Each structure stands twice: as structure tokens, then as C-alpha cells.
């Protein structure tokens, strides 16, 4: 296959350790462990790499094998269901140190979290005895959070060098996406990449996949493209559903709307929560509807935790039917009022702008050359989810706002990172958890920085904060 | 480098220096004399010296090299019981070297944030290593600690510190630091810290850092204004005024930019409500609303929606109050 044809997550997979993004500490420890095999088998003959998906665990193993000249023997999950199969596949490989060509071997069991239940007892046991007798390094890789599998796998964890991989930090995901765009020749808005990164939750593989899904074969990429992930139909569908909910008059009518909705219910809950206040301007209605959403959130968690998905219907009733019925005295007509209010706040004469309701959303069209007024207007309308359509010379603000959390996260990632650093250091020095640090120490430290910078800096030095964090504190 | 935060600088280094808790301290001292301790469970409110006490005990027991014989874990920061178990095992496997005490001490702070399942696993680990390692679990409420752990531990209850003791300690620190602390300032600190000495010390240090050169009531109030997130108060007022959208923006800032936990925001809302100038009967009603959401927070998955629902209820209450 030509390089261009391969999926991006393959094409941009690291080949050497230098190309692996982040998790330096884990990589360092893993490398040290592999090196420790030089003088014969070390005390721990297996390494257990674990962490969330898509953070480079398998890539790291492959890269290290590559860099240090090991032949990597990958055993597939389906192959080690039973002890027998493992023995036939690996029996010889593990007891011979070198291959025919004199290269050393490394054995990789990927996705060991798949070992489950009774029939795999043999699996875990066989891997254990393999580890005891092996002459080659054995690497086990498990994905997902430890609570999911640690009961089953603890015999393996106990004998292994435990190496934890963490989610890839937001900014590094963005950076990596940017590199890929440069390489494939896509011109992407910064916001677009940030949105992909935010959604990935530190899973670099899924971020690269998402990027490919929206950007392959294109020259440019915008925030909107990403938001709808290449599926513009959904945008119309969500609007339909929301319109339906906010205008239903009866329980059945509202439930009917949902029955036809193609949207994931978790997502729909967030959309309703976001847009509700623009339609429910009577405090009584709003309080009732929000109360229904709060219960919907609880019902959903119950369904998930008990795995009794029939319980979800109560969530639907609450978030759709109850919300619809709560609307009594409200007059709100959605974002159009908000757009008017926002424009007013800029102090422009009303005749400067033509506002009307279009098919896709509120249309705001300047009636004159805006000059330096364009910029503030643009950022205001963007805040409301709108965007400038160059060909038409107007802004379109969709009738419904995407869940605001996403926009907020984008703005706040830098301060969140600084806070994390600060909270961790305070936690270590003052014998408290990061949560307690955030609550009980950090407000005081910030206040001290404002009042008395010299003292602030000496506290910061004592805490051994990163320079970036100190600068952030100084800026208030 | 000298210690810059006063809570650390004035953390007692031996059991003798610990303020208050006479009963607890005297029992613990006996353990130190006998060079033997059981597993311990410390429960009590924040900032009254639970962590301090176990660290002081360790220093009394092992002497200056005590750091080699203890391991501090904070349950709310550790991820997964197996990771904990692994750390415990690595630490507890061997008896301490060059010490006449035959065991080490593992401190598990905020242990009540562990799930029941994790606590059961922890209990097994405790048992396995009892010979070489004693556990000291710390938490706010003993109710959150499973019975089998409680029954294996000597339980020590730490109450709120008495007003007199906090007063004395704050005065002592102010003296050592050359802070001009006026009586009205001390009163204000006491009022605000409600038996939590850590908070009292933090307020004192922040107040002393401001320009005036003395600490009186006004300085303390201005510190409190700056640290008790203005935003929470603002958010509360916005929603009582019926400005829900703006209140929700403020909520997002607190959750996402300040990184505060939903429960912590709620606690601050609650204490702000107590300070509102509104009829008592309304305070009761608001408290009830907050209490309901506090419970729902533990049941739901999205803190923002739960707190958002509270803001909407407050907006309604605000309107009714105005009528
Ligand atoms: N009983 C006490 N005696 C002396 N100092 C105390 C006492 N309680 C709290 N402090 C001060 O408050 C800080 C926090 O106390 P800590 O032991 O961490 O509280 P917690 O009970 O939350 O574990 C300590 O560093 C110390 O400065
Ligand atoms: Mg503590």
C-alpha cells in the first residue's frame, strides 16, 4: 500500500522512541527495564504497561524493540485464550534467547485486559509460568482504567514491572495534529484542532482518527467542520429535535420527538441543558425544567451503573416530556433575543445591521463597511456560536448553541494546566490531596501574589513550581 | 531553603507540640513509649491536626530519619487499588533497617474517599503486612470506613479545636513572625476559621502579606473577600436576581477554570447563603434546596447540570422573595 493510502493512525505511528509523544517517565522506566536484560534476566521478567487507550503503549514497545534491535513477537489476544495455544506458539521462542539470525527477542502480549472469566484462567496461568521461565523480555499491555480489570490480572501485575501511561496532555495532542496537517497539506483553524483534542480526552489515536475523518482529501478545516464531524445532517436533526421538545404541548408529543431522534441521548441532554434558558425565561418554568434535567442525569447514571438499560426510559421522560410540560408562562424565542441583546451591548446604531431569521439560524448582515467594528462584532457572534460567511457577507448564528462546556474548555486549558501543577506541588509539600490544595491553599497563594509579589515568589520557589506557573500567578 | 508557608513552618514536629486533643495525644504517647502501635484510624474535621499528629508520632518514634520509615499516600490522588497495593507492597515488604522499631508506618490520608471494594482490598493488604507495617488511615467521618477496617484499628476521634487554643496558637505565630495582630483581627480570623487551624493560619499569613503592616478586622475581611471565591457569591447573587445565564457562566468558570469540585462549590454557596441578609425562613428554604442538590451530586454524573438546577431554583426563590 502506498503511504498516502494507509490510515493516518498507521501512517503517523512512531517508529522510534524519539517520535513517541509524551509519557517520558513511563518510557524512561520501560527503556531502563529492557536495558536491564543485558546482564541476563532481571528480577522482574515481565513489564506490565497500562493506561487509557491511544496514548502510545503499543507504539512504545514497538519503538523500543526497534531502537534496541529486538525481534518483536506479538501474540494476539485470540491466541492466548488457552494455555495450550500459548505453549505451542511460544514454547520455543521464549526459551531461546536469540533468533536464527542472532537477534534478541521480545514477546508482546497486547490487550491482556481481554483475558476474562473462567476459560481464561489457563490464559493467566500460562502467561505466568511463561514469565517464570522466560529468557526474553515479556511485555504485557492492558488498556483502560485499572478498576476494570485489576481483579483478574493482579497475578500478572504482581510479578511485573508496573508502568503507568497517562493521557496525552491537551496541548501536545494539538501539536501533533498540527504536524500531521502540515504533512498532509491541510490548512486547519486552530480552534478546529483544539476541539478535536478536547474531545479525544488525551487519546491520541482517536484524535488522529477524527482528524482523518474530517480532513482527509480537503484543503481546509474549520471549527464547524469538526463540530459536526463531517456529518452536517446531524445539525439539522438536532435542531429539529430541540425545536420539537421546546414546542411540544403534551407528554406523548414530546416522547414522539425523541423516538425519531437519531441523536445519542447523552449528547441530547447536554444540548437541552445548554439551550433551555434561552427559551424558558419564566423562572418557574426554568426551575421545573432544570430540575427534570437534574433527575435525568441521575437516572442515566443509575442505568449505566446497574447496566439495567430499561431504566433509561425514565431519563428520556424527564429530559424530554417533563421539560416540555414545564413550559407554561415562558415567552423565550431562543438565541435571536440573545443576538439582539449582544449587538446592543456593543453600542452600534441599529441601522448598521440587518437581523432576520433565516433557515439555518439568525442572519446578521452589516449595512455598511464595518472597518474596525468588524473584529469585536465577530468575536461576540462567535461566542454565540455564529460564524462569518464570506461569500454572503453576513454572519449566521445557529438557532441552537452547542454545549458550552466545549467552548469553555478551550479557553481554560492553560489555566487548568497551571492549576494542576500548583495543586500537585502544594499537595506534596503540605501533605494534602490536590483537591484539598485547590480549595484550601491555592486561593490564599493567589491572593498573596497579588498583595506581595516578593513573598509570592519565594513561596513559589519553595514549592518548586514551574516557571510557567509562576508567570501565570504573577499575571493574576 | 526556609519553609515559606506558615502552615508547614508551624506544623508541630513532636506530639508534645500538638495543640489540644490531650486525650488522644496521651494515648498515642504511650504507644511511642512502648515502641509498638496498632493500626490507627484518625477521624475528624479538616485542619485540626490529624495528619500533623501521625507525622509527629513518626518523628517521636523513629527520630530524625523518620522519612525513611513512613509512606504517605493520599487516597483521593491515587488511581486504582492495585496501584496502591503495589506501592504498599514495595514499601511494606521489608522491615525497617537501622531502627529498633520493627515496623514501618503507612499513612493513607483521605481514606474515606476509597470505595468500599477498594477498602476491602486494602484491609487484606493491611493484614498481610501487619508484621512489618502499621497502617494509619485518616478520614473525616468514620461512617465512610468499612466496619472490618474499623474493627482492626484503634479509632481516634479528633474534635474541632477550641477557640481558646486557636487564639493562642495564632497569637504565638504572629509573635514569631513579628506580625502586628490587633484583637479585632484575631476575632475575625477566629470567626472565619470555625475550628480549622489550617484555615486560620492561612488567613493570618495572607493578611500579614498585605501592605498595611498590621492585621485588623478590615484586613482580614478583605482577605476573606479575596479568597472565598468572590465568584461564588457573585454567582449566588446573579441567580437570586434572576440572571440565570450569567450565573451559569460563572459556574462554568468555577468548575473548569478554577478546577473546583462540585461539592466544594456547593459548600461555599451554602456558607454564603448563611451570610445573606434575608429572612430566616428563606434561609431555611434555601438550605433545603442546597441539601437536595448536595445529595443529587453524589447520585448524578454531571456536576454542572446539578449545580445548574440549583441556580435555577435560586432564581425562582429570588423572584418569590422580591414579591
Ligand atoms: N492540633 C494542632 N496543633 C498544632 N497545629 C495544628 C493543629 N491542627 C492543625 N494545625 C496546623 O494546621 C495545619 C494543618 O493541619 P493538618 O494536620 O494537616 O490537619 P488535618 O486534620 O486536616 O490533617 C498544620 O500544618 C498546622 O500548622
Ligand atoms: Mg490531613
Amino acid at each position: 500500500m502506498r503511504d498516502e493510502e494507509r490510515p493516518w493512525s498507521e501512517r503517523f505511528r512512531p517508529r522510534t522512541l524519539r517520535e513517541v509523544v509524551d509519557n517520558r517517565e513511563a518510557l524512561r522506566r520501560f527503556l531502563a527495564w529492557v536495558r536491564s536484560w543485558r546482564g541476563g534476566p532481571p528480577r522482574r521478567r515481565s513489564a506490565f504497561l497500562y493506561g487509557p487507550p491511544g496514548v502510545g503503549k503499543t507504539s512504545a514497545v514497538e519503538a523500543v524493540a526497534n531502537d534496541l534491535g529486538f525481534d518483536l513477537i506479538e501474540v494476539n489476544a485470540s491466541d492466548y485464550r488457552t494455555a495450550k495455544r500459548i505453549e505451542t506458539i511460544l514454547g520455543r521462542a521464549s526459551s531461546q534467547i536469540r533468533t536464527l539470525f542472532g537477534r534478541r527477542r521480545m514477546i508482546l502480549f497486547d490487550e491482556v485486559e481481554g483475558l476474562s472469566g473462567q476459560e481464561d484462567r489457563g490464559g493467566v496461568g500460562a502467561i505466568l509460568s511463561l514469565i517464570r521461565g522466560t529468557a526474553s523480555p515479556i511485555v504485557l499491555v492492558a488498556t483502560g482504567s485499572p478498576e476494570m480489570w485489576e481483579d483478574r490480572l493482579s497475578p500478572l501485575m504482581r510479578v511485573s514491572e508496573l508502568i503507568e501511561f497517562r493521557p496525552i496532555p491537551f496541548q501536545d495532542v494539538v501539536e501533533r495534529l498540527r504536524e500531521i496537517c502540515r504533512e498532509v497539506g491541510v490548512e486547519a483553524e486552530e480552534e478546529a484542532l483544539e476541539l478535536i483534542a478536547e474531545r479525544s480526552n488525551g487519546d491520541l489515536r482517536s484524535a488522529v482518527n477524527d482528524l482523518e475523518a474530517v480532513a482527509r482529501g480537503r484543503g481546509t478545516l474549520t471549527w464547524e467542520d469538526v463540530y459536526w464531524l463531517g456529518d452536517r445532517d446531524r445539525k439539522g436533526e438536532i435542531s429539529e429535535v430541540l425545536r420539537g421538545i421546546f414546542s411540544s404541548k403534551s407528554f406523548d408529543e414530546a416522547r414522539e420527538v425523541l423516538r425519531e431522534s437519531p441523536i445519542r441521548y447523552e449528547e441530547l441532554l447536554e444540548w437541552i441543558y445548554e439551550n433551555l434558558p434561552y427559551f424558558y425565561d419564566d423562572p418557574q418554568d426554568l426551575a421545573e425544567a432544570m430540575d427534570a434535567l437534574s433527575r435525568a442525569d441521575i437516572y442515566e447514571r443509575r442505568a449505566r451503573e446497574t447496566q439495567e438499560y430499561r431504566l433509561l426510559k425514565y431519563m428520556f421522560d424527564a429530559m424530554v416530556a417533563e421539560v416540555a410540560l414545564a413550559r407554561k408562562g415562558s415567552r423565550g424565542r431562543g438565541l435571536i433575543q440573545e443576538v439582539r441583546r449582544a449587538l446592543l451591548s456593543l453600542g452600534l446604531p441599529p441601522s448598521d445591521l440587518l437581523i432576520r431569521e433565516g433557515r439555518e439560524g439568525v442572519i446578521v448582515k452589516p449595512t455598511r463597511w464595518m472597518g474596525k467594528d468588524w473584529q469585536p462584532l465577530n468575536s461576540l457572534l462567535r461566542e454565540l456560536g455564529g460564524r462569518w460567511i464570506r461569500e454572503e457577507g453576513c454572519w449566521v448564528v445557529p438557532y441552537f448553541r452547542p454545549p458550552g462546556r466545549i467552548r469553555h474548555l478551550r479557553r481554560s486549558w492553560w489555566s487548568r494546566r497551571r492549576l494542576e501543577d500548583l495543586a500537585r506541588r502544594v499537595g506534596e509539600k503540605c501533605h494534602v490531596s490536590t483537591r484539598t490544595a485547590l480549595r484550601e491553599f491555592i486561593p490564599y497563594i493567589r491572593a498573596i501574589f497579588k498583595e506581595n509579589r516578593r513573598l509570592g515568589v519565594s513561596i513559589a520557589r519553595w514549592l518548586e513550581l514551574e516557571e510557567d506557573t509562576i508567570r501565570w500567578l504573577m499575571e493574576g | 531553603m526556609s519553609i515559606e508557608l506558615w502552615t508547614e513552618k508551624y506544623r508541630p514536629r513532636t506530639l508534645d507540640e500538638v495543640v489540644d486533643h490531650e486525650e488522644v495525644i496521651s494515648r498515642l504517647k504511650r504507644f511511642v513509649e512502648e515502641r509498638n502501635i496498632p493500626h490507627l484510624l484518625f477521624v475528624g474535621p479538616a485542619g485540626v491536626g490529624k495528619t500533623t499528629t501521625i507525622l509527629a508520632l513518626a518523628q517521636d518514634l523513629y527520630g530524625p530519619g523518620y522519612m525513611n520509615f513512613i509512606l504517605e499516600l493520599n487516597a483521593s490522588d491515587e488511581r486504582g487499588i492495585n496501584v496502591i497495593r503495589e506501592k504498599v507492597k514495595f514499601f511494606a515488604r521489608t522491615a525497617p533497617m537501622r531502627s529498633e522499631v520493627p515496623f514501618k508506618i503507612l499513612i493513607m490520608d483521605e481514606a474515606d474517599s476509597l470505595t468500599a471494594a477498594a477498602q476491602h482490598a486494602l484491609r487484606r493488604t493491611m493484614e498481610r503486612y501487619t508484621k512489618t507495617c502499621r497502617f494509619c488511615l485518616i478520614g473525616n467521618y468514620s461512617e465512610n470506613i468499612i466496619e472490618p477496617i474499623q474493627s482492626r484499628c484503634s479509632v481516634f476521634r479528633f474534635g474541632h479545636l477550641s477557640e481558646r487554643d486557636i487564639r493562642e496558637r495564632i497569637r504565638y505565630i504572629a509573635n514569631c513572625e513579628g506580625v502586628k495582630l490587633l484583637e479585632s483581627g484575631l476575632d475575625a480570623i477566629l470567626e472565619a476559621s470555625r475550628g480549622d487551624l489550617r484555615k486560620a493560619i492561612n488567613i493570618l499569613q495572607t493578611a500579614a502579606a498585605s501592605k498595611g503592616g498590621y492585621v485588623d478586622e478590615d484586613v482580614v475581611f478583605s482577605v476573606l473577600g479575596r479568597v472565598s471565591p468572590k465568584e461564588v457569591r457573585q454567582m449566588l447573587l446573579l441567580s437570586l436576581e434572576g440572571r440565570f445565564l450569567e450565573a451559569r457562566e460563572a459556574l462554568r468558570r468555577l468548575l473548569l477554570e478554577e478546577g473546583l469540585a462540585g461539592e466544594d462549590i456547593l459548600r461555599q454557596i451554602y456558607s454564603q447563603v448563611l451570610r445573606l441578609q434575608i429572612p430566616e425562613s428563606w434561609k431555611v428554604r434555601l438550605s433545603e434546596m442546597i441539601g437536595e442538590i448536595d445529595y443529587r451530586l453524589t447520585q448524578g454524573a454531571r456536576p454542572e447540570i446539578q449545580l445548574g438546577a440549583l441556580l435555577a431554583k435560586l432564581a425562582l426563590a429570588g423572584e418569590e422573595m422580591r414579591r
Side-chain angles (χ1 to χ4, degrees), chain B residues 162-177:
Chain B
S162 75
E163 200 179 305
R164 211 198 53 225
D165 287 325
I166 295 194
R167 207 176 268 281
E168 208 168 285
R169 186 72 176 169
I170 292 296
R171 235 191 236 118
Y172 167 76
I173 295 176
N175 262 339
C176 295
E177 295 290 336

Side-chain angles (χ1 to χ4, degrees), chain A residues 150 162 164 273-274 291 294 297 300-301 408 412 416 419 431 433-436 439 446 451, chain B residues 72 76-77 79 81-82 110 211 226 248 252 256-258 264 296 300-302 304 306 313:
Chain A
E150 60 181 359
L162 284 181
E164 181 185 14
Y273 167 72
E274 180 68 32
D291 187 73
S294 131
D297 175 50
E300 188 220 348
R301 177 161 158 198
H408 233 288
S412 57
R416 270 183 298 143
L419 274 173
H431 310 271
S433 65
T434 52
R435 188 180 147 189
T436 307
R439 198 182 55 222
R446 290 169 88 168
E451 277 299 315
Chain B
E72 278 184 270
S76 99
D77 286 334
R79 288 134 35 81
I81 181 67
N82 237 317
E110 305 195 25
K211 305 198 171 63
R226 246 168 300 143
R248 186 170 73 173
R252 282 188 179 142
L256 299 173
E257 279 166 45
E258 307 291 315
D264 294 337
R296 288 191 189 185
R302 298 172 183 79
E304 191 189 325
Q306 296 304 337
K313 279 188 218 282

Side-chain angles (χ1 to χ4, degrees), chain A residues 431, chain B residues 51 109 198:
Chain A
H431 310 271
Chain B
T51 308
D109 217 331
R198 169 168 46 220

Side-chain angles (χ1 to χ4, degrees), chain A residues 60 72 178 182 328 350 427 470 473:
Chain A
L72 190 65
R178 206 183 289 131
R182 208 175 301 135
K328 290 183 280 281
I470 299 181
L473 278 167

Side-chain angles (χ1 to χ4, degrees), chain B residues 32-73:
Chain B
V32 174
E33 277 157 26
E34 289 162 8
R35 295 245 167 279
N36 194 7
I37 66 171
H39 294 311
L40 304 168
L41 172 59
F42 289 0
V43 288
V48 298
K50 302 182 297 297
T51 308
T52 302
T53 299
I54 188 61
L55 291 173
L57 180 147
Q59 295 180 64
D60 289 350
L61 188 63
Y62 300 111
Y66 75 104
M67 286 303 277
N68 299 323
F69 307 114
I70 65 172
L71 176 67
E72 278 184 270
L73 297 178

Side-chain angles (χ1 to χ4, degrees), chain B residues 17-32:
Chain B
E17 289 174 43
V18 174
V19 173
D20 217 331
H21 313 305
E22 289 79 12
E23 168 84 32
V24 169
I25 299 298
S26 76
R27 276 169 67 199
L28 291 174
K29 275 190 185 156
R30 220 161 325 122
F31 293 145
V32 174

